[in-house]
Amino acid sequence: MDSVIVFDMDGVLAEVTESYRESIVQTVRYFTGKTVSRDAIQDYKNQGGWNNDWALSQKIAADFGMQIDYDTVIEKFNEYFLGENGNGLVTRESWFPQPGLLERLGERYGLSLFTGRLRYEADITLRRFAPCVKFDPMICADDVTAAKPAPEGLLAIQQRKPKAKLWYVGDTVDDARCARAAGVPFIGIAAHTHTKRGELIALFQQENAVAILENINEIEGAL
């Protein structure tokens, strides 16, 4: 393949408002008794550096006056997100790509994945929604030493696909900064329903996004 589309997962392929984002809300509420708004969570995301939802949950709790051990935050977060045997908030996720989209793209482009999820978390959602789609390579949080916005994951994909032109599709400023650091063109996703859509679009423009889409189903026209 002459070109490879590299997808972020959350907010691009998977709708995670009621899974990861809600897990942040419930984790923070458990430790602090306070409810963080979805707008406030997005404000943290737009600052950059908060791609890790465990670390973000710990940070928000600290800003509410509660210092919680990181491993304790992870344990409680995963109780909400994963539940018992995968019956937690992860089951609330939905899939953005319309039927046939990824298959059509796969006929013209290589498909790859660089996500801040751990591999087992990514596998849960991919098995559910896209069991027949091949992402090669698939780079997850446990495959890199430096998380986004560090470009390590994209650079690893470049090394495996040295002759291919890469595109990175993401939905946060950390995704955009990761792409810029790797020298990879960035396509931003800013949903029409996004609570901070105007701010997010401005951030993408500052990072020289080559296109800004409402959802992943518009990508064929952009490419």
Side-chain angles (χ1 to χ4, degrees):
M1 292 290 180
D2 294 333
S3 297
V4 175
I5 306 170
V6 184
F7 297 94
D8 176 43
M9 193 166 185
D10 301 335
V12 174
L13 298 177
E15 163 59 88
V16 296
T17 304
E18 296 302 324
S19 60
Y20 277 105
R21 296 291 173 103
E22 181 61 21
S23 295
I24 295 172
V25 173
Q26 294 197 23
T27 301
V28 170
R29 184 186 294 138
Y30 175 85
F31 288 116
T32 70
K34 299 176 181 178
T35 299
V36 60
S37 70
R38 299 290 175 85
D39 279 2
I41 292 172
Q42 190 59 46
D43 284 337
Y44 282 98
K45 294 282 187 181
N46 285 355
Q47 291 173 17
W50 295 111
N51 197 57
N52 180 328
D53 288 343
W54 297 334
L56 178 54
S57 299
Q58 183 188 40
K59 166 65 174 171
I60 295 171
D63 287 348
F64 279 151
M66 294 294 293
Q67 302 292 333
I68 312 298
D69 178 75
Y70 184 60
D71 288 341
T72 303
V73 171
I74 293 174
E75 183 178 3
K76 180 55 64 175
F77 186 102
N78 283 347
E79 284 181 20
Y80 292 123
F81 180 71
L82 296 173
E84 294 183 10
N85 301 316
N87 66 351
L89 293 173
V90 65
T91 62
R92 295 186 183 182
E93 290 180 348
S94 57
W95 195 242
F96 280 126
Q98 294 171 351
L101 174 69
L102 295 176
E103 289 79 4
R104 287 195 307 274
L105 290 173
E107 292 173 359
R108 298 174 55 197
Y109 306 95
L111 305 182
S112 184
L113 192 72
F114 175 35
T115 174
R117 291 192 187 203
L118 294 170
R119 186 168 293 269
Y120 77 88
E121 296 173 328
D123 283 341
I124 291 171
T125 298
L126 291 175
R127 282 197 302 267
R128 180 179 172 195
F129 293 112
C132 297
V133 177
K134 181 175 178 59
F135 295 99
D136 178 35
M138 180 170 142
I139 304 292
C140 300
D142 27 3
D143 298 314
V144 298
T145 56
K148 293 183 281 188
E152 183 180 341
L154 288 181
L155 295 176
I157 295 170
Q158 284 179 325
Q159 289 175 350
R160 297 193 199 183
K161 307 282 186 178
K163 296 181 180 180
K165 175 182 176 62
L166 266 54
W167 306 79
Y168 191 38
V169 188
D171 72 316
T172 69
V173 68
D174 280 343
D175 294 329
R177 290 171 180 166
C178 170
R180 177 167 55 82
V184 171
F186 177 73
I187 297 173
I189 303 292
H192 184 68
T193 55
H194 204 292
T195 58
K196 300 281 186 176
R197 187 169 192 260
E199 183 179 326
L200 185 61
I201 288 173
L203 289 167
F204 287 162
Q205 290 171 337
Q206 290 172 18
E207 297 298 331
N208 298 318
V210 296
I212 300 173
L213 313 178
E214 185 175 324
N215 66 71
I216 194 63
N217 295 296
E218 298 177 351
I219 192 170
E220 289 170 294
L223 292 169

